[in-house]
Amino acid sequence: MDKLVASVLTMLHEWQERKEHPILQEHIHRHSFDLKSSKVFTYMVAVSVLCFVSLVGNYFLWQSKQQYKDDALKFRIIRVWRGCSSKEILWLNDVFDIHRNVAIIKKIKKHTDDYNVGLKAKADSLMQNNLQNKKSK
């Protein structure tokens, strides 16, 4: 019985020491990809091709979006001019497509924006006059 009590006491004493001074364990995580494996190589090639296709697609989408913006601005400037001749259309195509001139495009955009702001102000003043005429009747 004394041996049993002594062994229990030593186990408790060891347990207490481990609790006070725990042994730290290192967690080493290592990942390795063996390119000799055909699966890994196939997946890496597939992902690379997919990324390349995505980049090319995004570039063409950006080009298309830019073309739509240019066409909308051409339409707006023609509306500001209240129509245009064939020479003006050729000039617009030259400025936007053939010999792209960013400075002139910015001026055209500013001109159309100013026209739209002036048109909105004129429309607002006409609406105010219309409301005042209805109130006075």
Side-chain angles (χ1 to χ4, degrees), residues 23-78:
I23 300 172
L24 297 176
Q25 294 180 353
E26 287 187 41
H27 293 283
I28 300 174
H29 296 285
R30 293 185 184 170
H31 300 284
S32 65
F33 297 104
D34 186 17
L35 289 180
K36 294 175 187 171
S37 169
S38 64
K39 276 187 178 179
V40 173
F41 183 74
T42 304
Y43 288 138
M44 288 182 68
V45 168
V47 168
S48 299
V49 168
L50 189 65
C51 288
F52 179 73
V53 168
S54 176
L55 285 173
V56 170
N58 283 339
Y59 173 73
F60 284 116
L61 189 64
W62 174 80
Q63 261 187 338
S64 173
K65 184 179 173 187
Q66 201 62 29
Q67 185 65 41
Y68 286 134
K69 278 183 177 180
D70 289 348
D71 290 344
L73 188 56
K74 287 179 198 176
F75 176 76
R76 286 173 57 199
I77 194 65
I78 290 171

Side-chain angles (χ1 to χ4, degrees), residues 124-137:
D124 288 344
S125 68
L126 287 173
M127 290 279 281
Q128 290 296 329
N129 288 340
N130 191 14
L131 288 174
Q132 287 175 356
N133 289 340
K134 284 184 180 182
K135 285 182 182 179
S136 65
K137 287 184 180 181

Side-chain angles (χ1 to χ4, degrees), residues 73-86 88-89 92 111-112 114-116 118-120 122-123 126:
L73 188 56
K74 287 179 198 176
F75 176 76
R76 286 173 57 199
I77 194 65
I78 290 171
R79 191 174 62 189
V80 167
W81 291 338
R82 294 187 180 108
C84 64
S85 68
S86 60
E88 290 166 331
I89 290 176
L92 283 173
H111 184 65
T112 56
D114 292 344
Y115 174 79
N116 285 337
L119 192 63
K120 185 175 178 352
K122 199 179 285 187
L126 287 173

